[in-house]
Coordinates of all heavy atoms in Angstrom, one line a residue:
M1 N -29.9 -35.0 40.1 CA -30.4 -35.1 41.5 C -29.6 -36.1 42.3 O -29.6 -36.1 43.5 CB -31.8 -35.3 41.4 CG -32.6 -34.7 42.6 SD -34.2 -35.2 42.8 CE -35.0 -34.9 41.1
N2 N -28.9 -37.1 41.6 CA -28.1 -38.1 42.3 C -26.6 -37.6 42.5 O -25.8 -38.5 43.0 CB -28.2 -39.5 41.6 CG -29.6 -40.0 41.9 OD1 -30.2 -40.1 43.0 ND2 -30.2 -40.5 40.8
S3 N -26.3 -36.4 42.2 CA -24.9 -36.0 42.5 C -24.7 -35.7 44.0 O -25.8 -35.4 44.6 CB -24.7 -34.7 41.7 OG -24.9 -34.9 40.3
V4 N -23.5 -35.7 44.4 CA -23.2 -35.3 45.7 C -23.4 -33.8 45.9 O -22.9 -33.1 45.0 CB -21.8 -35.7 46.1 CG1 -21.4 -35.2 47.4 CG2 -21.6 -37.3 46.2
Y5 N -24.1 -33.4 46.8 CA -24.3 -32.1 47.2 C -23.4 -31.6 48.4 O -23.3 -32.4 49.3 CB -25.8 -31.6 47.6 CG -26.8 -31.7 46.5 CD1 -28.2 -31.6 46.9 CD2 -26.6 -31.9 45.2 CE1 -29.2 -31.7 46.0 CE2 -27.6 -32.0 44.2 CZ -28.9 -31.9 44.6 OH -29.9 -31.9 43.7
C6 N -23.0 -30.4 48.4 CA -22.4 -29.8 49.6 C -22.9 -28.3 49.6 O -22.8 -27.6 48.6 CB -20.9 -29.9 49.7 SG -20.3 -29.3 51.1
C7 N -23.3 -27.9 50.8 CA -23.7 -26.5 50.9 C -22.6 -25.6 50.9 O -21.6 -25.6 51.6 CB -24.4 -26.3 52.3 SG -24.9 -24.5 52.6
P8 N -22.6 -24.6 50.0 CA -21.4 -23.6 49.8 C -21.4 -22.6 51.0 O -20.3 -22.0 51.1 CB -21.6 -22.8 48.5 CG -23.1 -23.0 48.3 CD -23.5 -24.3 48.9
A9 N -22.5 -22.5 51.8 CA -22.4 -21.5 52.9 C -21.8 -22.2 54.2 O -20.9 -21.6 54.7 CB -23.8 -20.9 53.1
C10 N -22.5 -23.2 54.6 CA -22.1 -23.7 55.9 C -21.0 -25.0 55.7 O -20.3 -25.3 56.6 CB -23.3 -24.2 56.8 SG -24.1 -25.7 55.9
K11 N -20.8 -25.2 54.4 CA -19.7 -26.1 54.0 C -19.6 -27.5 54.7 O -18.6 -28.3 54.4 CB -18.4 -25.4 54.1 CG -18.3 -24.1 53.3 CD -16.9 -23.5 53.5 CE -16.7 -22.4 52.6 NZ -17.5 -21.2 52.7
T12 N -20.6 -27.9 55.5 CA -20.5 -29.2 56.2 C -21.7 -30.0 55.9 O -21.6 -31.3 55.8 CB -20.5 -29.1 57.6 OG1 -21.6 -28.3 58.2 CG2 -19.2 -28.4 58.2
N13 N -22.8 -29.5 55.4 CA -24.0 -30.3 55.1 C -23.9 -30.9 53.8 O -23.8 -30.3 52.7 CB -25.2 -29.4 55.2 CG -26.5 -30.2 54.8 OD1 -26.6 -31.4 55.0 ND2 -27.4 -29.5 54.2
R14 N -23.8 -32.3 53.7 CA -23.9 -33.0 52.6 C -25.0 -34.1 52.5 O -25.2 -34.9 51.5 CB -22.6 -33.9 52.4 CG -21.4 -33.1 52.1 CD -20.2 -33.8 52.1 NE -19.0 -33.0 51.8 CZ -18.3 -33.0 50.5 NH1 -18.8 -33.7 49.5 NH2 -17.3 -32.1 50.4
S15 N -26.1 -33.8 53.5 CA -27.1 -34.9 53.5 C -28.4 -34.4 53.5 O -29.4 -35.1 53.2 CB -26.8 -35.9 54.7 OG -26.8 -35.0 55.8
R16 N -28.7 -33.1 54.1 CA -30.1 -32.7 54.4 C -30.4 -31.5 53.4 O -29.7 -30.4 53.7 CB -30.3 -32.3 55.9 CG -30.3 -33.4 56.8 CD -30.7 -33.1 58.2 NE -30.8 -34.1 59.1 CZ -31.9 -34.8 59.3 NH1 -33.0 -34.3 58.7 NH2 -32.1 -35.8 60.0
F17 N -31.3 -31.6 52.5 CA -31.7 -30.5 51.7 C -33.2 -30.6 51.3 O -33.8 -31.6 51.4 CB -30.9 -30.9 50.3 CG -29.4 -30.9 50.4 CD1 -28.9 -32.2 50.6 CD2 -28.6 -29.8 50.4 CE1 -27.3 -32.2 50.8 CE2 -27.2 -29.8 50.6 CZ -26.6 -31.0 50.8
N18 N -33.7 -29.4 51.0 CA -35.0 -29.3 50.4 C -34.8 -29.1 48.9 O -34.2 -28.1 48.5 CB -35.7 -28.1 51.0 CG -35.9 -28.2 52.6 OD1 -36.2 -29.4 53.0 ND2 -35.8 -27.2 53.4
L19 N -35.5 -29.9 48.1 CA -35.4 -29.7 46.7 C -36.8 -28.9 46.4 O -37.8 -29.1 46.8 CB -35.7 -31.0 46.0 CG -34.4 -32.0 45.8 CD1 -34.7 -33.3 45.0 CD2 -33.3 -31.1 45.1
I20 N -36.5 -27.7 45.6 CA -37.5 -26.9 45.2 C -37.7 -27.0 43.7 O -36.9 -26.5 42.9 CB -37.1 -25.5 45.6 CG1 -36.8 -25.3 47.1 CG2 -38.2 -24.4 45.2 CD1 -35.9 -24.2 47.5
E21 N -38.9 -27.6 43.4 CA -39.2 -27.6 42.0 C -39.6 -26.4 41.3 O -40.5 -25.9 41.9 CB -40.3 -28.7 41.8 CG -40.2 -29.7 40.7 CD -41.2 -30.8 40.7 OE1 -41.6 -31.1 41.7 OE2 -41.5 -31.3 39.5
Q22 N -39.1 -25.9 40.3 CA -39.5 -24.7 39.6 C -40.4 -25.0 38.5 O -40.2 -25.6 37.5 CB -38.3 -24.0 39.0 CG -37.2 -23.9 40.0 CD -36.5 -22.5 39.9 OE1 -36.8 -21.5 40.4 NE2 -35.4 -22.5 39.2
V23 N -41.7 -24.6 38.7 CA -42.7 -24.9 37.9 C -43.2 -23.5 37.2 O -43.5 -22.5 37.8 CB -44.1 -25.3 38.5 CG1 -45.2 -25.7 37.5 CG2 -43.8 -26.6 39.3
V24 N -43.0 -23.4 35.8 CA -43.3 -22.1 35.0 C -44.6 -22.0 34.7 O -45.3 -22.9 34.2 CB -42.5 -22.2 33.8 CG1 -42.5 -20.9 33.0 CG2 -40.9 -22.5 34.1
H25 N -45.1 -20.8 35.0 CA -46.5 -20.4 34.6 C -46.5 -19.2 33.8 O -46.5 -18.1 34.4 CB -47.5 -20.1 35.9 CG -47.6 -21.4 36.8 ND1 -48.5 -22.3 36.5 CD2 -46.9 -21.8 37.9 CE1 -48.4 -23.3 37.5 NE2 -47.5 -22.9 38.3
P26 N -46.4 -19.2 32.6 CA -46.3 -18.0 31.7 C -47.7 -17.4 31.7 O -48.7 -18.0 31.6 CB -46.2 -18.6 30.2 CG -45.6 -20.0 30.4 CD -46.2 -20.4 31.7
I27 N -47.7 -16.1 32.0 CA -48.8 -15.3 32.1 C -48.8 -13.9 31.3 O -47.6 -13.4 31.1 CB -49.1 -15.0 33.6 CG1 -48.0 -14.1 34.2 CG2 -49.5 -16.2 34.4 CD1 -48.4 -13.3 35.5
R28 N -49.8 -13.3 31.3 CA -49.9 -11.9 30.7 C -50.7 -11.1 31.8 O -51.6 -11.6 32.3 CB -50.7 -11.9 29.4 CG -49.8 -12.1 28.2 CD -50.5 -11.9 26.9 NE -50.7 -10.4 26.8 CZ -52.0 -10.2 26.2 NH1 -52.9 -11.0 25.8 NH2 -52.2 -8.8 26.2
K29 N -50.2 -9.9 32.0 CA -50.7 -9.0 33.0 C -51.2 -7.7 32.3 O -50.5 -7.3 31.4 CB -49.7 -8.7 34.1 CG -49.3 -9.8 35.0 CD -48.2 -9.5 35.8 CE -48.2 -8.6 37.0 NZ -49.0 -9.0 38.0
D30 N -52.2 -7.2 33.0 CA -52.6 -5.7 32.4 C -51.6 -4.8 33.0 O -51.3 -4.7 34.1 CB -54.0 -5.3 33.0 CG -54.4 -3.9 32.6 OD1 -53.6 -3.0 32.8 OD2 -55.6 -4.0 32.1
P31 N -50.9 -4.0 32.0 CA -49.7 -3.2 32.4 C -50.1 -2.1 33.2 O -49.2 -1.6 34.1 CB -49.2 -2.6 31.1 CG -50.2 -2.8 30.1 CD -51.2 -4.0 30.6
S32 N -51.3 -1.7 33.5 CA -51.7 -0.5 34.3 C -52.1 -0.9 35.7 O -51.9 -0.4 36.7 CB -52.6 0.4 33.6 OG -53.8 -0.3 33.2
T33 N -53.0 -2.0 35.6 CA -53.6 -2.6 37.0 C -52.8 -3.6 37.5 O -52.9 -3.8 38.9 CB -55.0 -3.0 36.7 OG1 -55.0 -4.2 35.7 CG2 -55.8 -2.0 36.0
G34 N -52.0 -4.4 36.7 CA -51.2 -5.5 37.4 C -52.0 -6.8 37.4 O -51.5 -7.8 37.8
K35 N -53.4 -6.6 37.1 CA -54.1 -7.9 37.1 C -53.7 -8.8 36.0 O -53.5 -8.5 34.9 CB -55.6 -7.4 36.9 CG -56.6 -8.5 37.1 CD -58.0 -7.9 37.0 CE -59.0 -9.0 37.3 NZ -60.4 -8.6 36.8
M36 N -53.9 -10.2 36.4 CA -53.5 -11.1 35.5 C -54.6 -11.2 34.5 O -55.8 -11.5 34.8 CB -53.3 -12.6 36.1 CG -52.6 -13.5 35.2 SD -52.2 -15.1 36.0 CE -53.7 -15.8 35.9
I37 N -54.2 -11.3 33.1 CA -55.2 -11.3 32.0 C -55.5 -12.7 31.6 O -56.7 -13.1 31.4 CB -54.8 -10.5 30.8 CG1 -54.6 -9.0 31.2 CG2 -55.8 -10.6 29.7 CD1 -53.9 -8.2 30.2
E38 N -54.3 -13.5 31.4 CA -54.4 -14.8 30.9 C -53.2 -15.6 31.1 O -52.0 -15.1 31.5 CB -54.8 -14.9 29.4 CG -53.5 -14.3 28.6 CD -53.7 -14.4 27.1 OE1 -54.7 -15.3 26.7 OE2 -52.9 -13.8 26.3
H39 N -53.4 -17.0 31.1 CA -52.2 -17.9 31.1 C -51.7 -18.0 29.6 O -52.7 -18.2 28.7 CB -52.6 -19.2 31.7 CG -52.8 -19.3 33.2 ND1 -51.7 -19.4 34.0 CD2 -53.9 -19.0 34.0 CE1 -52.2 -19.3 35.3 NE2 -53.4 -19.2 35.3
V40 N -50.6 -18.0 29.4 CA -50.0 -18.0 28.1 C -49.5 -19.4 27.8 O -48.8 -20.0 28.7 CB -48.8 -17.0 27.9 CG1 -48.2 -17.2 26.5 CG2 -49.3 -15.6 28.1
P41 N -49.9 -20.0 26.8 CA -49.4 -21.4 26.4 C -47.8 -21.4 26.4 O -47.2 -20.6 25.9 CB -50.0 -21.8 25.0 CG -51.1 -20.7 24.8 CD -50.7 -19.6 25.6
L42 N -47.3 -22.6 26.9 CA -45.8 -22.6 26.9 C -45.3 -22.5 25.5 O -44.0 -22.2 25.4 CB -45.4 -24.0 27.5 CG -45.4 -24.2 29.0 CD1 -45.3 -25.6 29.3 CD2 -44.4 -23.3 29.6
S43 N -46.0 -23.0 24.6 CA -45.5 -22.9 23.1 C -45.7 -21.5 22.4 O -45.3 -21.3 21.2 CB -46.2 -23.9 22.3 OG -47.7 -23.6 22.4
D44 N -46.2 -20.5 23.1 CA -46.4 -19.1 22.4 C -45.1 -18.5 22.1 O -44.1 -18.3 22.7 CB -46.9 -18.2 23.5 CG -47.4 -17.0 23.0 OD1 -46.8 -16.5 21.9 OD2 -48.4 -16.3 23.5
P45 N -44.9 -18.4 20.6 CA -43.6 -17.9 20.0 C -43.4 -16.5 20.5 O -42.1 -16.0 20.3 CB -43.9 -18.0 18.6 CG -45.4 -18.0 18.3 CD -46.0 -18.5 19.6
L46 N -44.4 -15.7 21.0 CA -44.0 -14.2 21.3 C -43.5 -14.2 22.8 O -43.1 -13.1 23.2 CB -45.4 -13.5 21.3 CG -45.9 -13.4 19.9 CD1 -47.4 -12.7 19.9 CD2 -45.1 -12.9 18.8
Q47 N -43.6 -15.2 23.5 CA -43.1 -15.2 24.9 C -41.7 -16.0 25.2 O -41.7 -17.2 24.7 CB -44.1 -15.7 25.9 CG -43.8 -15.4 27.3 CD -44.9 -14.8 28.4 OE1 -45.9 -14.4 27.8 NE2 -44.7 -15.3 29.6
F48 N -40.8 -15.3 25.7 CA -39.5 -16.1 25.9 C -39.8 -17.2 26.9 O -40.4 -17.1 27.8 CB -38.5 -15.1 26.7 CG -37.1 -15.6 26.7 CD1 -36.3 -15.2 25.6 CD2 -36.7 -16.2 27.8 CE1 -35.0 -15.8 25.7 CE2 -35.4 -16.7 27.9 CZ -34.5 -16.6 26.8
Q49 N -39.1 -18.3 26.4 CA -39.4 -19.6 27.4 C -38.3 -19.6 28.5 O -37.2 -19.4 28.2 CB -39.3 -20.8 26.4 CG -40.6 -20.9 25.5 CD -40.4 -22.2 24.7 OE1 -39.7 -23.2 25.1 NE2 -41.2 -22.4 23.7
Y50 N -38.8 -20.0 29.4 CA -38.0 -20.3 30.8 C -36.8 -21.2 30.4 O -37.2 -22.5 29.9 CB -38.7 -20.6 31.9 CG -37.9 -20.9 33.1 CD1 -37.3 -19.9 33.8 CD2 -37.6 -22.2 33.7 CE1 -36.4 -20.1 34.9 CE2 -36.9 -22.4 34.7 CZ -36.3 -21.4 35.4 OH -35.5 -21.7 36.4
Q51 N -35.6 -20.9 30.6 CA -34.5 -21.9 30.4 C -33.6 -22.1 31.6 O -32.5 -22.5 31.5 CB -33.7 -21.4 29.2 CG -34.5 -21.4 27.9 CD -33.8 -20.6 26.7 OE1 -32.8 -19.9 26.9 NE2 -34.3 -20.8 25.4
G52 N -34.2 -21.8 32.7 CA -33.4 -21.8 34.0 C -33.4 -23.3 34.5 O -33.8 -24.1 33.8
E53 N -32.8 -23.3 35.7 CA -32.6 -24.7 36.4 C -34.0 -25.2 36.6 O -34.9 -24.5 37.1 CB -31.8 -24.5 37.6 CG -30.5 -24.1 37.4 CD -29.5 -25.2 37.0 OE1 -29.6 -26.2 37.8 OE2 -28.8 -25.0 36.1
P54 N -34.3 -26.5 36.4 CA -35.6 -27.2 36.9 C -35.7 -27.2 38.4 O -36.9 -27.3 38.9 CB -35.5 -28.5 36.2 CG -34.1 -28.8 36.1 CD -33.4 -27.5 35.8
Y55 N -34.6 -27.2 39.1 CA -34.7 -27.2 40.6 C -33.8 -26.2 41.2 O -32.8 -25.8 40.6 CB -34.0 -28.6 41.1 CG -34.9 -29.8 40.8 CD1 -34.6 -30.6 39.6 CD2 -36.0 -30.2 41.6 CE1 -35.4 -31.7 39.3 CE2 -36.8 -31.2 41.3 CZ -36.5 -32.0 40.2 OH -37.3 -33.1 39.9
R56 N -34.2 -25.7 42.3 CA -33.3 -25.0 43.2 C -33.2 -25.9 44.5 O -33.9 -26.7 44.6 CB -33.9 -23.5 43.6 CG -33.5 -22.7 42.4 CD -34.1 -21.3 42.5 NE -33.4 -20.5 43.6 CZ -32.3 -19.7 43.2 NH1 -31.8 -19.8 42.0 NH2 -31.9 -19.0 44.1
V57 N -32.2 -25.7 45.2 CA -31.9 -26.4 46.3 C -31.8 -25.5 47.6 O -31.2 -24.4 47.6 CB -30.5 -27.3 46.2 CG1 -30.3 -28.0 47.4 CG2 -30.9 -28.1 45.1
Q58 N -32.4 -26.0 48.8 CA -32.2 -25.2 50.0 C -31.5 -26.2 50.9 O -31.8 -27.3 51.1 CB -33.5 -24.9 50.6 CG -33.3 -24.1 51.9 CD -34.6 -23.6 52.5 OE1 -35.6 -24.3 52.6 NE2 -34.6 -22.3 53.0
C59 N -30.3 -25.5 51.6 CA -29.6 -26.4 52.5 C -30.5 -26.5 53.7 O -31.2 -25.7 54.3 CB -28.4 -25.6 53.0 SG -27.5 -26.4 54.5
G60 N -30.7 -27.9 54.2 CA -31.5 -28.2 55.3 C -30.9 -27.8 56.6 O -31.5 -28.2 57.7
I61 N -29.7 -27.3 56.6 CA -29.1 -26.9 58.0 C -29.2 -25.4 58.1 O -29.5 -24.9 59.2 CB -27.7 -27.5 57.9 CG1 -27.7 -28.9 57.8 CG2 -27.0 -27.1 59.4 CD1 -28.5 -29.8 58.9
C62 N -28.7 -24.6 57.1 CA -28.5 -23.2 57.3 C -29.7 -22.5 56.5 O -29.7 -21.2 56.7 CB -27.1 -22.8 56.9 SG -26.7 -22.6 55.1
G63 N -30.2 -23.1 55.6 CA -31.3 -22.4 54.9 C -30.9 -21.7 53.5 O -31.8 -21.2 53.0
L64 N -29.7 -21.8 53.1 CA -29.3 -21.0 51.9 C -30.0 -21.8 50.7 O -30.2 -22.9 50.6 CB -27.8 -21.4 51.7 CG -27.3 -20.8 50.3 CD1 -27.0 -19.3 50.5 CD2 -26.1 -21.7 49.8
I65 N -30.5 -20.8 49.7 CA -31.1 -21.3 48.5 C -30.3 -20.9 47.5 O -30.0 -19.7 47.3 CB -32.6 -20.8 48.6 CG1 -33.6 -21.2 49.6 CG2 -33.2 -21.2 47.1 CD1 -34.9 -20.5 49.7
D66 N -30.1 -21.9 46.5 CA -29.3 -21.6 45.2 C -29.5 -22.7 44.2 O -30.3 -23.5 44.4 CB -27.7 -21.5 45.7 CG -27.0 -20.6 44.7 OD1 -27.3 -20.4 43.5 OD2 -26.0 -20.1 45.2
D67 N -28.9 -22.4 43.0 CA -29.1 -23.4 42.0 C -28.5 -24.7 42.4 O -27.5 -24.7 43.1 CB -28.4 -22.9 40.7 CG -29.2 -21.8 40.0 OD1 -30.4 -21.6 40.5 OD2 -28.5 -21.1 39.1
E68 N -29.1 -25.7 41.8 CA -28.6 -27.1 42.1 C -27.1 -27.3 41.7 O -26.3 -27.9 42.5 CB -29.3 -28.2 41.4 CG -28.9 -29.5 41.7 CD -29.6 -30.6 40.8 OE1 -30.0 -30.4 39.6 OE2 -29.8 -31.8 41.3
R69 N -26.7 -26.6 40.6 CA -25.2 -26.8 40.1 C -24.3 -26.3 41.1 O -23.3 -26.7 41.2 CB -25.2 -26.1 38.7 CG -25.4 -24.6 38.6 CD -25.5 -24.0 37.3 NE -26.1 -22.7 37.3 CZ -26.4 -22.1 36.3 NH1 -26.5 -22.7 35.1 NH2 -26.9 -21.0 36.4
T70 N -24.7 -25.1 41.9 CA -23.9 -24.7 42.9 C -23.5 -25.7 43.9 O -22.4 -25.9 44.3 CB -24.6 -23.4 43.5 OG1 -24.7 -22.5 42.6 CG2 -23.5 -22.8 44.6
F71 N -24.6 -26.4 44.5 CA -24.4 -27.4 45.3 C -23.7 -28.6 44.9 O -22.8 -29.2 45.6 CB -25.8 -28.0 45.9 CG -26.5 -26.9 46.8 CD1 -27.2 -25.9 46.4 CD2 -26.4 -27.1 48.3 CE1 -27.8 -25.0 47.3 CE2 -27.0 -26.2 49.1 CZ -27.7 -25.1 48.7
V72 N -23.9 -28.9 43.5 CA -23.1 -30.0 43.0 C -21.6 -29.7 42.8 O -20.8 -30.5 43.1 CB -23.7 -30.4 41.6 CG1 -22.8 -31.4 40.7 CG2 -25.1 -30.8 41.7
A73 N -21.3 -28.4 42.5 CA -19.9 -27.9 42.3 C -19.2 -28.1 43.7 O -18.1 -28.6 43.6 CB -19.9 -26.5 41.8
F74 N -19.9 -27.6 44.7 CA -19.2 -27.9 46.0 C -19.2 -29.2 46.4 O -18.2 -29.6 47.2 CB -20.0 -26.9 47.0 CG -19.5 -25.5 47.1 CD1 -19.8 -24.6 46.1 CD2 -18.6 -25.1 48.1 CE1 -19.3 -23.3 46.2 CE2 -18.1 -23.8 48.2 CZ -18.4 -22.9 47.1
G75 N -20.1 -30.0 46.0 CA -20.0 -31.5 46.4 C -18.8 -32.2 45.7 O -18.4 -33.3 46.2
K76 N -18.4 -31.6 44.6 CA -17.2 -32.2 44.0 C -15.9 -31.9 44.7 O -14.9 -32.5 44.3 CB -17.2 -31.9 42.4 CG -18.3 -32.4 41.6 CD -18.2 -32.0 40.3 CE -19.4 -32.7 39.5 NZ -19.7 -31.9 38.3
Q77 N -16.0 -30.8 45.5 CA -14.7 -30.6 46.2 C -14.6 -31.5 47.3 O -15.5 -31.8 48.2 CB -14.7 -29.2 46.8 CG -14.7 -28.2 45.5 CD -14.8 -26.7 45.9 OE1 -14.8 -26.5 47.1 NE2 -15.0 -25.8 45.1
D78 N -13.3 -32.0 47.7 CA -13.0 -32.9 48.7 C -12.6 -32.2 50.0 O -11.7 -32.6 50.5 CB -12.2 -34.0 48.3 CG -12.9 -35.1 47.6 OD1 -14.0 -35.3 47.8 OD2 -12.2 -35.8 46.7
S79 N -13.2 -31.2 50.3 CA -12.8 -30.4 51.5 C -13.7 -30.8 52.7 O -14.8 -30.1 52.9 CB -12.7 -28.9 51.2 OG -14.1 -28.4 50.6
F80 N -13.4 -31.6 53.5 CA -14.2 -32.0 54.7 C -13.7 -31.3 55.9 O -14.0 -31.8 56.9 CB -14.1 -33.5 54.9 CG -15.1 -34.3 53.8 CD1 -14.5 -34.7 52.7 CD2 -16.3 -34.6 54.3 CE1 -15.3 -35.5 51.9 CE2 -17.1 -35.2 53.4 CZ -16.6 -35.8 52.1
Q81 N -13.0 -30.1 55.8 CA -12.5 -29.5 57.0 C -13.8 -28.8 57.7 O -14.7 -28.5 57.2 CB -11.6 -28.5 56.6 CG -12.1 -27.1 56.1 CD -11.9 -27.0 54.6 OE1 -11.5 -28.0 54.0 NE2 -12.0 -25.9 54.1
D82 N -13.7 -28.8 59.1 CA -14.7 -28.1 59.8 C -14.6 -26.7 59.9 O -13.5 -26.2 60.0 CB -14.7 -28.8 61.3 CG -15.3 -30.3 61.1 OD1 -15.9 -30.7 60.1 OD2 -15.0 -31.0 62.1
Ligands
ZN101 ZN1 -25.9 -24.8 54.7

């Protein structure tokens, strides 16, 4: 989270961002009604565990939402052109 970010869409924003915390809620649904049956424990061996990014990032200027690593990758490029 302390890496330099740069928005890959507007390419100029390096300072204003919305951090979006991804909170996993494993659930089971009734397959015919779609109604939620129960919350599944995170340790349930029958359910695949979420392994994605803990954060997504939204550009505070143009609104693009992407994985944090995308913003970090663009932050490593030294292209300050307008
Ligand atoms: Zn942007």
Side-chain angles (χ1 to χ4, degrees):
M1 215 190 299
N2 286 319
S3 302
V4 172
Y5 290 171
C6 182
C7 175
C10 65
K11 297 184 171 63
T12 52
N13 174 32
R14 290 174 176 261
S15 59
R16 290 184 174 270
F17 301 95
N18 296 321
L19 279 181
I20 304 154
E21 218 173 332
Q22 308 217 87
V23 182
V24 181
H25 298 279
I27 61 162
R28 280 187 59 223
K29 291 165 73 76
D30 182 306
S32 53
T33 66
K35 190 176 176 188
M36 193 176 82
I37 301 169
E38 63 172 351
H39 287 274
V40 178
L42 283 170
S43 58
D44 188 328
L46 298 179
Q47 184 139 334
F48 190 89
Q49 288 186 16
Y50 177 72
Q51 295 170 345
E53 297 278 312
Y55 290 96
R56 282 175 74 84
V57 177
Q58 181 173 41
C59 173
I61 304 299
C62 76
L64 175 85
I65 300 173
D66 208 331
D67 287 346
E68 181 188 33
R69 62 186 166 200
T70 303
F71 286 83
V72 171
F74 272 77
K76 285 178 180 162
Q77 298 176 4
D78 279 330
S79 53
F80 280 94
Q81 77 257 15
D82 287 344

